[in-house]
Structures are given as C-alpha cells and as structure tokens.
Amino acid sequence: MNERFAPLELADAAYEREKNEAPSLGFLQDSWRRLRKNRSAVVSLSVLVFIVCVAVASIWLTPHNPNRQQLEHGNLPPRIAGLSIPGFDGKMTTRGRVIDKYAQEGIPDDVSYFLGTDDLGRDLFSRLLAGVRVSLLIAFIAAFLDLTIGVAFGLISGLGGERVDSVMQRFLEILAGIPNLVVMILMLTIFKPGILTIILAMIVTGWISMARIVRAQTMKLKNQEYVLAATVLGQPRWKIALMHILPNISGVVIVQMMFSIPQAIFFEAFLSFVGLGLRPPNASLGTLLNEGYKAFRVLPYQMWAPTAALSVIMLAFNLLADGLRDAFDPKMSDG
Amino acid sequence: MMKGLGGYLLKRVFYMLATLWLIITITFFLMKLLPASPFTNLDKLSKTQVEILYSQYGLDKPVAVQYLIYMRGFAKGDFGVSFQFKNQPVADLLSERVGPSLQLGLQAILFGTLVGIVLGALAAMWQNTWVDALATIVAILGRSIPNFIFAVILQYVFGLRLGILPIAMWKDFSYTILPTLALSMSPMADAARFIRTEMVEVNNSDYIELARAKGMNRFEIALRHGLRNSLIPLITLLGPMAVGLMTGSLVIENIFAVPGIGEQFVKSITTSDYPTIMAVTVLYSAMLVVVILVVDLLYGIVDPRIRVAGEGDK
C-alpha cells in the first residue's frame, strides 16, 4: 500500500486542535449562562430562594405561635439569647435610662423574642415570617393570573383576525384608561377585605400590560416563515398559538411576570398600610407595617423589621427581573 | 399635517370621554349595589325620620332617576352632599383639599426629575465610574422601595432623631419638605435611569464624535447635544409619574397628615362616605386621563412619527 494515501493522523489531531465551536445551547441554557454572569441577579435569586424556603418552612416551624397573644409579654424589645449586641440584648432606652425590659417584666431567661413582641405580646419574628408568606402568596397568585389572562387575551387578539383584534383592542384601550388605583379601591370598598379580594382587585387591571406585550410580540411573529409553514400545513390556530408563538415569546412573558410580582407585593403592602387591604389579625407585610407604624415613635423596632423585609424583597425581585430581561434579550440591556 | 393632528386629537378626546363616562357609570352603580346604608344609626330612627333622610339625600327615587340627577349635577360640578360631614357639599370639601395635593405633586415631580436629570447626565458622562454606580444605586432603590418606606425613614431621621424638620401637619414650606422628598424618590429614579440610557446612546452617535473632534469639552457636548436630545423623550415618563404620584399621595398624605385629596379619600373609604368616594374616584380618573392625553399630544407634536404610526395601524 502506498504510504502517501494513508490517512494522516497528525492532520486529524490538528483539526481537533483548531476546531472552533462552542457547545450548542438552547434558549434557556443560553439565558441561564448570561444570567449567571450577572452578580446582582444571582445574589437576588439566592436571597429570594432563601426567603421563599424560610417562608414555606414557617408553616410548620416558627419560634412562637404568630397569633398567640400574651399580654404580660407585650412590647418586649428584640433579644437573642446569648448575644449581647446592642439592639438585640433585650434592653431599651426609656426617658434616657437603659432598662432591661425582660428583667423588669419578669420574663424567664429561656424565653427570647428575636425581633421583640407587639403590644399584644405576639412574637414579631413569627409574625414577620407569616406576613412574608402571605405577601408572597398574594403576589404569586396575582402574577400567575395576570399571566394567564394576559397571555390568552394577547394571543387571541394577535391571531384572531382583524375584526376580533379591533374589538379586543378598543376594549383594552377603555379599560386601560381607568387608573388601577381607583379600580382597586372600588373593589375593596365593595367586597370584604381579604386575601381573595386583594388578588381580585389587583388582577382587574393588572393583566393589561401583559396582554399588550403578548399581542405586540404575536403580531411580530405571526408572519414569520415557520408560522406560515404551520398554517399551510393545516395546523389549527390554537395549536400555532401554543406550540409556535408561545415558546418563542416566553422570555418576554417571564420578564413581564417578574416585574408584576414586586408590583403586587407593593400594592398589597400599600393598601394594607393605609388600612384598606388586609386587617390586623391577619399578618402580611402591609399589616405589620401598619401596626408597627402606630407604635413607631416610641418603639421603632416594631417597624424596622417589616420595613427591612419589604425593602429586601422588593429590591431582590427588581434586580432579578432586570437581570432576566438582560439575559433573555441582551439587546434590550441598558448598556 | 394639521388635519392629521386634528383627527388624532378628536380620536383621543373621544376615548377619554368614553373612559370617563364608563368610570362614572360603573362607580355609580357599584355604590348603589353596596349593602351598607350610609347612615350609621338607622335602626334607632323612626320610619318618618328615615324617609326624610332618604329624600333629603335623594335616595328615595328609582336608581335610574338618581343616575340622571347625578350625571346632570356632575356636568355642573355638583357632586352631591357628603355623608360624613353633614350638609357639606362634596365639591366644597374637595376644593379646599386640591391645593396641598397639587403643590406636593408638582414639587415632587419638579424636584425629582431635576435631580434625576442631573444624576443621569453625570452618570452618562462618567460611564462606569463611581458616579455611574451611585446613580444606578439611587435609581434601583428609588424604583424598588415603596415611597411610604422612604417617608417613614425620613420622618424618623429628620423629624424624630435630628429634629430639624416638622414630623407632620401642613403649615409653612418647611412642612412640605419631607413629604416632597418621599414622593420624589421614584420620579428621580425613573428620570435618572431614562436620561442615562438615552445619553449613553447619543454619546455613541456620529455627531457627538464630530463635536469631540472639533474640540468641544465634555460639558458643552453633554449640555448642547446629549441632554437636549434626551429631554424630549422624557415627556413619555410624565404619564406613569403622575399615576405613581397619585397612588403615593394617598399614603404620604396620611403619614404626614397633609390635608389633601389622598388623605380625604382614605378617610371617606373608612367612613363609607359614598358621595365623596365617588367624587374622588372620578376626580382622580379625570386628572389621570387628562394628564395622559396631554402627554401623548405633546409627544405627538414633538415627534410626528408617533402620530403617523397611530394612523398607520388602522
């Protein structure tokens, strides 16, 4: 055999060495890779996962019962057993004198309240956990319903043909003209304030921006070749919507939903803080702020914990949403 | 050109009126559906007393007639009589309260956008430095953290701890500083973010390159080219800002005991003062709808492409 026709081993190795290709990544993998590079988004995501886990775990495990009232334990400042950091040592300043509130009230040494107690002697740490849970629950349900209604409306309007689209858009324009604050307040005046009412009040107008975005994206995609091909092949319209359009706009939809979660948290806190949302025996971030604010001038510690919790949650959701937006669509980043 | 603008204006005004009519009508009928009676001690009164009360407030007539009376009064600026403050017309009650709310809102929007513009412009001029980082932090905090949290912190620091500024009430200008600051955080954040993004984009354009080549210094470039081109689109932010301020006024006015519309709104909801609730609802909606219309028109005049696009998609 002629040696000159033998395959050249070296060339193969060189080809391997010179080969220049990245592993092929799907849309989600690619976005995830970009998201991981964004430090603030990763930190926010970890913080949120932690908060959600703690909030869920607190259904079974809390240091004290969040609703148990013990009047003799009322208005105790924060104390963490074994720690003597100022602010968490059970001491407080009243009229210029530092007193150990726990010793004064005769509370046994083994009873400590991490974040203190309110005027009815309820443990504020346990109430905070319960409050975060309720606020997150409201926000997640509201965001999910916004998503469902908005996506359905947007897809139908975008694909339904000119007449359907025109009717649906006029309806949307009029509805969007009504300020959401007004709608929420009317709903809360008419129905009994509660978790369901708040959710309902938020979704009446909350889905509109989602519907608009989904419609605009659908309009953009529906003349793409793959959609035309599917139409020509006789796919029914609902199948095109769900199997071809929806997966391709999922990034935009997820980002929009991530922005609507903190907005729902804000509105719950806002309404309950003013006294129009949930009412005090229920714990939520808004009601805790509302109760803490009443004692704020004398006992500021009752206000700081829910304030910090709300701020951290709002910041984390907003940063994560920003990160996701940049990850799904690098072109939309603010540079 | 003028015809296009006129048609656009007409269309928008029509939608505005339709929306307002819808809001008024829905509010009216929702209020009629409410089970609670406006009079608290109804069962203690005799039958004739109740009848007199109902006829005094016009509640004895059929709902359709009440609706017509309400709409007619509405056109004349008569919103009925408050249930909470006996014999006080709602229109008078509210007109006393428009002033403080308006002053707070304008101060907040002016201060917020001005500081925001400066922050955003500085951030764009020194992109990726500590100035930029600071502006970004302000923008993120202002956008994420609710204004009532800022209000409480400001009240604690400046009112309680330092004792420099009054904690609450409404007397002279010093009383307006803290609520204005609290309200201005989110317009500030929005403006800073917006201006920064716009200016960074403009900074990469050819004419800025040319200005630099001609030897203009960075302040001149930023002022004469960058900022000027970024300010016009800022108009679009005014609509969302107005919405945010109205929501904010509800809670900020409560925290600082400002005798404004927002405070009255919350009070009338908690006391079931239906005529006042309806009037404030309509007032808020009307203000918002008008602000958004004006913003859109301004933008349509400044940037004709919007109008043309609006005509085009029909």
Side-chain angles (χ1 to χ4, degrees):
Chain A
M1 197 164 92
N2 195 329
E3 262 183 16
R4 273 186 292 179
F5 292 102
L8 192 59
E9 308 254 321
L10 195 76
D12 224 22
Y15 173 71
E16 276 300 321
R17 236 185 297 130
E18 297 287 313
K19 200 165 82 172
N20 189 7
E21 78 184 18
S24 103
L25 293 172
F27 172 66
L28 284 177
Q29 284 170 310
D30 198 28
S31 311
W32 173 240
R33 189 180 54 87
R34 275 195 294 266
L35 187 70
R36 258 189 338 208
K37 283 195 200 144
N38 185 335
R39 210 186 312 145
S40 60
V42 172
V43 172
S44 304
L45 184 62
S46 330
V47 168
L48 287 175
V49 168
F50 175 73
I51 289 175
V52 170
C53 289
V54 171
V56 172
S58 73
I59 300 175
W60 304 282
L61 200 72
T62 46
H64 301 267
N65 179 343
N67 289 321
R68 185 157 147 258
Q69 305 184 359
Q70 274 181 292
L71 289 177
E72 64 276 18
H73 286 198
N75 287 335
L76 289 173
R79 178 167 82 167
I80 300 175
L83 271 182
S84 50
I85 322 165
F88 290 97
D89 52 4
K91 298 196 172 72
M92 60 190 290
T93 325
T94 317
R95 295 194 196 90
R97 278 184 311 138
V98 177
I99 47 164
D100 189 337
K101 204 65 187 349
Y102 284 72
Q104 192 188 34
E105 301 285 326
I107 312 288
D109 270 346
D110 56 328
V111 178
S112 283
Y113 298 97
F114 299 153
L115 295 177
T117 57
D118 63 9
D119 55 339
L120 298 172
R122 291 173 297 193
D123 176 34
L124 282 175
F125 183 62
S126 308
R127 284 186 72 70
L128 183 67
L129 292 179
V132 169
R133 198 170 66 227
V134 168
S135 289
L136 287 179
L137 184 76
I138 290 177
F140 284 142
I141 296 179
F144 178 74
L145 291 175
D146 281 353
L147 170 100
T148 322
I149 303 172
V151 167
F153 194 97
L155 282 175
I156 294 173
S157 180
L159 290 173
E162 214 168 298
R163 193 169 297 169
V164 176
D165 182 43
S166 159
V167 171
M168 286 175 93
Q169 286 312 303
R170 296 299 89 82
F171 174 70
L172 207 64
E173 260 166 65
I174 291 177
L175 196 63
I178 309 176
N180 58 354
L181 176 71
V182 164
V183 176
M184 274 188 248
I185 284 183
L186 283 181
M187 297 287 289
L188 289 169
T189 330
I190 294 155
F191 299 106
K192 254 197 3 230
I195 295 181
L196 275 181
T197 314
I198 288 207
I199 294 176
L200 201 66
M202 285 196 285
I203 58 170
V204 172
T205 53
W207 58 275
I208 292 177
S209 46
M210 179 68 92
R212 284 192 161 156
I213 287 171
V214 170
R215 173 182 173 268
Q217 294 286 323
T218 307
M219 290 299 217
K220 220 160 70 183
L221 290 184
K222 78 174 181 189
N223 293 323
Q224 297 265 324
E225 284 81 357
Y226 61 88
V227 177
L228 293 178
T231 316
V232 170
L233 289 172
Q235 286 257 36
R237 265 195 290 206
W238 64 268
K239 255 191 177 169
I240 293 178
L242 293 182
M243 293 174 65
H244 298 286
I245 308 253
L246 195 55
N248 281 296
I249 60 173
S250 58
V252 189
V253 170
I254 292 173
V255 170
Q256 176 61 29
M257 193 175 102
M258 285 305 295
F259 279 115
S260 66
I261 292 176
Q263 200 179 351
I265 296 177
F266 164 75
F267 271 117
E268 185 280 319
F270 163 78
L271 291 169
S272 305
F273 182 79
V274 184
L276 305 176
L278 295 178
R279 297 287 149 88
N282 278 313
S284 78
L285 283 173
T287 56
L288 289 174
L289 284 166
N290 176 297
E291 291 188 313
Y293 186 68
K294 286 177 192 151
F296 172 60
R297 294 187 185 185
V298 202
L299 305 163
Y301 70 88
Q302 294 190 1
M303 179 86 194
W304 292 140
T307 302
L310 179 64
S311 305
V312 168
I313 291 174
M314 292 294 289
L315 260 180
F317 268 116
N318 273 299
L319 287 174
L320 179 62
D322 277 351
L324 278 173
R325 187 193 51 196
D326 296 347
F328 283 132
D329 188 357
K331 275 175 293 181
M332 265 167 68
S333 146
D334 328 296
Chain B
M1 190 69 171
M2 277 324 283
K3 191 169 166 268
L5 185 62
Y8 180 70
L9 180 71
L10 216 65
K11 197 176 111 187
R12 291 300 312 264
V13 170
F14 173 74
Y15 269 115
M16 187 183 88
L17 291 177
T19 309
L20 273 181
W21 172 76
L22 197 74
I23 294 171
I24 298 171
T25 309
I26 291 177
T27 323
F28 179 84
F29 285 102
L30 283 180
M31 291 293 151
K32 289 295 144 203
L33 282 179
L34 283 177
S37 160
F39 312 112
T40 31
N41 294 319
L42 207 57
D43 38 327
K44 288 187 195 145
L45 302 175
S46 74
K47 216 174 158 209
T48 26
Q49 279 173 315
V50 173
E51 272 167 19
I52 290 169
L53 264 180
Y54 269 80
S55 72
Q56 189 189 342
Y57 285 96
L59 296 173
D60 53 343
K61 301 184 182 70
V63 176
V65 178
Q66 287 183 40
Y67 175 68
L68 286 179
I69 292 175
Y70 187 75
M71 289 301 270
R72 202 192 306 145
F74 195 84
K76 287 187 285 190
D78 171 14
F79 300 100
V81 179
S82 164
F83 286 167
Q84 188 197 354
F85 303 100
K86 302 290 175 227
N87 301 326
Q88 185 160 10
V90 174
D92 293 357
L93 188 69
L94 292 182
S95 59
E96 288 166 14
R97 287 173 167 267
V98 171
S101 290
L102 216 57
Q103 187 189 346
L104 262 191
L106 287 178
Q107 277 179 205
I109 242 181
L110 273 178
F111 177 75
T113 34
L114 273 180
V115 176
I117 289 171
V118 172
L119 264 178
L122 291 178
M125 281 170 69
W126 282 281
Q127 209 183 332
N128 300 326
T129 62
W130 66 270
V131 185
D132 195 9
L134 181 79
T136 311
I137 290 172
V138 169
I140 289 172
L141 287 179
R143 194 165 47 102
S144 316
I145 296 180
N147 46 21
F148 57 92
I149 298 282
F150 284 121
V152 170
I153 295 174
L154 286 170
Q155 202 174 39
Y156 183 76
V157 174
F158 292 101
L160 277 175
R161 275 289 140 117
L162 302 175
I164 312 173
L165 290 166
I167 296 174
M169 298 308 286
W170 188 259
K171 285 175 192 140
D172 53 63
F173 179 72
S174 65
Y175 288 81
T176 71
I177 296 176
L178 289 184
T180 304
L181 274 181
L183 268 179
S184 67
M185 290 313 277
S186 93
M188 188 188 298
D190 289 344
R193 186 183 158 93
F194 190 87
I195 288 288
R196 181 190 177 276
T197 314
E198 288 283 320
M199 272 185 71
V200 165
E201 210 169 284
V202 172
N203 271 344
N204 295 327
S205 62
D206 292 341
Y207 62 90
I208 296 283
E209 198 74 18
L210 177 69
R212 242 183 249 132
K214 285 198 311 195
M216 282 173 89
N217 72 35
R218 64 194 320 174
F219 285 98
E220 258 180 304
I221 295 176
L223 269 180
R224 291 178 70 178
H225 296 292
L227 205 53
R228 197 191 267 182
N229 281 300
S230 314
L231 282 179
I232 294 168
L234 195 68
I235 299 173
T236 47
L237 279 188
L238 280 175
M241 274 182 193
V243 177
L245 281 179
M246 268 179 203
T247 315
S249 71
L250 232 77
V251 62
I252 301 292
E253 285 179 8
N254 259 294
I255 289 179
F256 292 103
V258 177
I261 301 269
E263 203 232 357
Q264 178 59 50
F265 200 12
V266 176
K267 224 188 264 166
S268 45
I269 295 164
T270 38
T271 53
S272 299
D273 185 356
Y274 301 143
T276 315
I277 300 178
M278 282 168 68
V280 180
T281 307
V282 174
L283 190 70
Y284 264 25
S285 314
M287 267 156 58
L288 270 188
V289 170
V290 169
V291 166
I292 289 171
L293 176 76
V294 169
V295 167
D296 281 1
L297 286 180
L298 269 181
Y299 207 63
I301 291 168
V302 174
D303 188 349
R305 280 172 300 179
I306 310 252
R307 214 160 63 223
V308 177
E311 309 273 291
D313 73 16
K314 258 199 167 167

